[in-house]
């Protein structure tokens, strides 16, 4: 006869099989609704930008008249307690910048508009919704930027999507707006970078082909520069442009006008001479680095003097530089290619041999008196800075004189009144005998 196994309960009492199963079953509460966590509810909620827009406009419909910056800030901060600004940050900024929701590509989704927004503001008033008349708004774009700044200071999580997503996308749609609207967007962007500390990387969008086309990017950049320069100097602006990643201002010019002459012509017409001067200085620094590095590289690659001269001439066609600057850059390139590992007592001789062999490169470009005197000064400052060859200064000048790089008149003028202050007395004394000889030779020729 078989027996059904039994379980033993507390005290050794036997339990029936159905009793054991009942104990293993987990308890449940019939009719009790398990609440979803708040974060999970938000994540699974539908994305409804139009519903957000409608709720947002209901808040703005209660704005007082006349409208003030403080009132608008207070209303937006209050609305942020019930509306999901982070989830709908793109729609939030669209309503405050362009007044309505945008479709991909930049066109308006429908006709619903905010009562106040950046591209519609002016210095007198802003037209509200149909039937509301005009709300007085005397602060214009600056007032709207002040509003944005204060709201973002309250809701700090809005700054990152503004500078990383919204502004780059909006500047990609510039062709959708007329000149007046572009100017307002430009002013707002400049003020946000200056006053809110927004990243300038959005300016990279200006180099996109469809934005560059027909001068659209330029029509934004001019008012951007004017606004920026009304608050800061051109060096500060240059630093911002470097941080923006916009590598070269020429990239915002249409391809058929992408050259230095058109850049200068355009910004001169716009009354932006500081931009022309800044760009010329920047271009000069880039040309300087390129010349120094390339001359040094070509010499190390054992290219001939003729090949190096040809390279510099081609570079001058593309990026012309003053003769005096060019001669100094070539000198720096010649020094860059020297083997400085020689013994100290042999270094002077190594420099002299190197310059003797490569002097024809300088001779091809060092023609005018200004360039020659500038070259002597460049050598003077270099020898003063790098004292390893300070004693070779007079020999270097003599080598360049014998190679027809610098004239006797240039040496005499430098000695009499053209020398730089760095180590002046030392270098004048070192070349005193040479100058005396040249003066006597000049006097004999005159006689």
């Amino acid at each position: 006869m078989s027996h059904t196994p039994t379980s033993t309960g507390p005290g050794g009492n036997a339990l029936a099989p159905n009793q054991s199963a009942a104990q293993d079953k987990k308890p449940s509460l019939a009719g009790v609704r398990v609440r979803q966590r708040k974060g999970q509810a938000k994540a699974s909620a539908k994305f409804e930008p139009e519903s957000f827009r409608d709720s947002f406009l209901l808040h703005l419909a209660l704005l007082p008249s006349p409208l003030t910056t403080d009132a608008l800030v207070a209303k937006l901060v209050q609305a942020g307690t019930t509306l999901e600004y982070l989830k709908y940050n793109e729609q939030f900024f669209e309503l405050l910048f362009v007044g309505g929701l945008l479709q991909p590509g930049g066109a308006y989704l429908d006709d619903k508009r905010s009562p106040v927004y950046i591209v519609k503001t002016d210095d007198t008033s802003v037209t509200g919704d149909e039937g509301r008349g005009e709300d007085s708004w005397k602060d214009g774009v600056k007032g709207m930027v002040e509003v944005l700044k204060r709201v973002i200071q309250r809701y700090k999580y809005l700054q990152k999507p503004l500078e990383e997503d919204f502004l780059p996308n909006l500047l990609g749609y510039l062709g959708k707006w007329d000149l007046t609207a572009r100017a307002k967007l430009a002013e707002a962007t400049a003020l946000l970078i200056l006053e809110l500390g927004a990243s300038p990387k959005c300016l990279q969008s200006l180099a996109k082909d469809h934005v560059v086309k027909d001068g659209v990017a330029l029509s934004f950049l001019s008012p951007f520069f004017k606004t920026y320069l009304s608050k800061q100097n051109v060096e500060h602006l240059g630093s911002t442009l470097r941080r923006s990643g916009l590598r070269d201002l020429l990239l915002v010019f249409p391809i058929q006008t992408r050259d230095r002459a058109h850049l200068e012509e355009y910004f001169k017409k716009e009354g932006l001479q500081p931009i022309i001067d800044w760009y010329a200085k920047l271009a000069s620094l880039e040309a300087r680095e390129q010349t120094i590095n390339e001359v040094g590289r070509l010499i190390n690659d054992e290219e001939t003097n003729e090949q190096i001269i040809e390279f510099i001439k081609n570079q001058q066609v593309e990026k012309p530089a003053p003769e005096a600057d060019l001669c100094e850059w070539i000198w720096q390139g010649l020094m860059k290619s020297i083997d400085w590992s020689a013994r100290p007592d042999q270094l002077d001789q190594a420099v002299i041999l190197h310059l003797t062999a490569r002097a024809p490169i300088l001779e091809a470009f060092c023609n005018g008196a200004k360039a020659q005197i500038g070259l002597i000064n460049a050598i003077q400052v270099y020898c003063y800075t790098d004292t390893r060859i300070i004693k070779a200064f007079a020999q270097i000048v003599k080598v360049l004189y014998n190679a027809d790089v610098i004239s006797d008149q240039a040496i005499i003028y430098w000695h009499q009144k053209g020398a730089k202050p760095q180590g002046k007395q030392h270098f004048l004394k070192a070349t005193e005998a040479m100058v005396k000889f040249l003066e006597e030779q000049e006097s004999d020729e005159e006689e």
Side-chain angles (χ1 to χ4, degrees):
M1 176 183 282
S2 61
H3 296 277
T4 303
T6 60
S7 301
T8 306
N13 295 324
L15 294 176
N18 58 345
Q19 283 183 293
S20 176
Q23 277 194 344
D24 292 340
K25 187 177 180 181
K26 293 182 179 179
S28 63
L29 297 175
V32 176
R33 182 182 175 188
V34 179
R35 292 184 62 185
Q36 194 175 24
R37 289 189 178 184
K38 189 176 180 181
Q40 291 176 327
K42 282 188 176 182
S44 60
K46 288 183 179 179
F47 184 69
E48 299 176 315
E50 292 176 62
S51 295
F52 171 84
R53 184 269 317 278
D54 294 341
S55 300
F56 185 83
L57 293 183
L58 282 175
H59 281 278
L60 296 191
L62 302 176
L63 287 169
S65 182
L67 180 59
T68 64
T69 299
D70 289 342
L72 183 53
V73 170
K75 182 57 67 177
L76 292 175
V77 169
Q78 180 191 20
T81 61
T82 56
L83 299 179
E84 296 181 73
Y85 281 172
L86 180 58
K87 182 175 182 178
Y88 294 99
N89 64 81
E90 183 179 354
Q91 290 70 35
F92 172 79
F93 290 125
E94 285 175 352
L95 290 164
L96 293 180
F97 274 80
V98 299
L101 300 187
L102 299 178
Q103 302 179 56
Y108 279 114
L109 180 66
D110 52 36
D111 294 332
K112 288 190 177 182
R113 298 287 181 271
S114 169
V116 58
Y117 51 99
I118 284 173
V119 300
K120 191 131 185 213
T121 57
D122 58 38
D123 294 332
T124 55
S125 62
V126 57
T127 304
D129 290 334
E130 290 299 324
R132 288 195 61 197
E134 290 193 348
D135 289 332
S136 175
W137 179 259
K138 299 187 181 299
D139 293 330
V141 174
K142 292 179 182 177
M144 284 301 296
V145 170
E146 178 64 20
V147 168
L148 277 165
K149 185 172 71 172
R150 289 166 61 181
V151 172
I152 290 174
Q153 285 171 345
R154 170 64 179 82
Y155 299 111
K156 292 183 172 59
Y157 54 74
L158 287 172
Q159 180 157 349
K160 187 174 181 179
L162 170 70
E163 59 189 21
E164 293 187 0
D165 299 315
F166 179 74
L167 284 176
N169 290 336
L170 184 66
L171 298 193
Y173 302 150
L174 279 179
K176 296 290 184 180
W177 314 105
D178 60 23
L179 289 173
T180 303
R182 288 177 209 161
K184 290 173 181 176
L185 291 174
E187 181 182 355
T189 305
L191 292 174
L192 286 169
I193 291 172
L194 283 166
E195 298 179 7
L196 183 64
S199 168
K201 289 187 181 297
C202 59
L203 298 180
Q204 292 182 39
S205 296
L206 300 178
K208 294 180 178 178
D209 291 342
H210 66 280
V211 183
V212 170
K213 187 180 177 183
D214 300 326
V216 171
L218 285 174
S219 64
F220 173 93
L221 207 54
S222 290
F224 175 88
F225 284 160
K226 290 174 182 177
T227 301
Y228 203 107
L229 292 175
S230 70
K231 303 282 186 180
Q232 281 288 355
N233 58 37
V234 73
E235 285 75 22
H236 194 282
L237 172 59
S239 174
T240 296
L241 290 175
R242 284 193 294 275
R243 288 189 293 111
S244 76
L246 185 63
R247 295 181 292 106
D248 191 339
L249 278 188
L250 287 178
L251 294 176
V252 303
F253 281 76
I255 192 74
Q256 64 272 20
T257 60
R258 194 169 290 176
D259 55 59
R260 180 91 169 267
H262 280 93
L263 180 144
E264 293 180 357
E265 179 186 355
Y266 178 81
F267 287 119
K268 185 176 182 180
K269 182 181 67 177
E270 292 292 313
L272 285 166
Q273 186 62 40
I275 298 297
I276 297 172
D277 297 339
W278 169 81
Y279 189 82
K281 182 179 179 181
L282 183 68
S284 178
L285 289 173
E286 290 178 353
R288 177 183 185 275
E289 290 302 311
Q290 184 180 12
T291 302
I292 293 172
N293 291 331
E294 284 300 302
V295 168
R297 183 187 65 80
L298 292 170
I299 291 175
N300 288 332
D301 290 346
E302 299 183 354
E303 300 289 350
T304 65
N305 291 339
E306 290 74 18
Q307 289 172 315
I308 297 172
I309 291 169
E310 186 65 24
F311 161 78
I312 297 172
K313 285 181 177 179
N314 291 335
Q315 187 190 49
Q316 280 293 89
V317 173
E318 296 178 9
K319 300 177 181 178
E323 193 178 57
D325 292 342
L326 182 61
C327 290
E328 180 182 347
W329 303 344
I330 296 172
W331 160 261
Q332 294 283 350
L334 293 177
M335 292 298 99
K336 190 179 181 72
S337 60
I338 287 178
D339 180 9
W340 294 99
S341 63
R343 284 168 39 187
D345 59 328
Q346 297 177 347
L347 194 55
D348 287 359
Q349 189 61 26
V351 170
I352 296 302
L353 290 173
H354 180 68
L355 287 175
T356 301
R358 296 297 183 171
I361 302 172
L362 279 167
E363 193 270 334
F365 300 98
C366 201
N367 300 311
K370 185 177 180 181
Q372 294 176 17
I373 296 166
L375 175 60
I376 301 172
N377 276 323
I379 298 168
Q380 176 193 334
V381 172
Y382 188 94
C383 291
Y384 176 79
T385 305
D386 191 340
T387 55
R388 289 177 295 179
I389 58 170
I390 192 170
K391 294 180 181 179
F393 176 76
Q395 287 179 278
I396 292 171
V397 174
K398 184 178 179 181
V399 166
L400 298 181
Y401 169 71
N402 289 336
D404 292 328
V405 176
I406 51 180
S407 66
D408 51 355
Q409 293 92 341
I411 297 171
I412 293 169
Y413 179 88
W414 168 84
H415 194 272
Q416 290 177 347
K417 49 186 176 182
K420 292 279 188 180
Q422 292 93 324
K424 181 177 179 178
Q425 294 307 315
H426 168 82
F427 294 113
L428 293 183
K429 186 171 181 61
T431 54
E432 191 173 6
M434 183 195 309
V435 171
K436 185 177 179 180
F437 168 78
L438 294 175
E439 288 175 333
E440 290 175 353
Q441 188 179 48
E442 193 174 63
S443 177
D444 290 342
E445 289 176 359
E446 289 176 359
E447 291 178 4

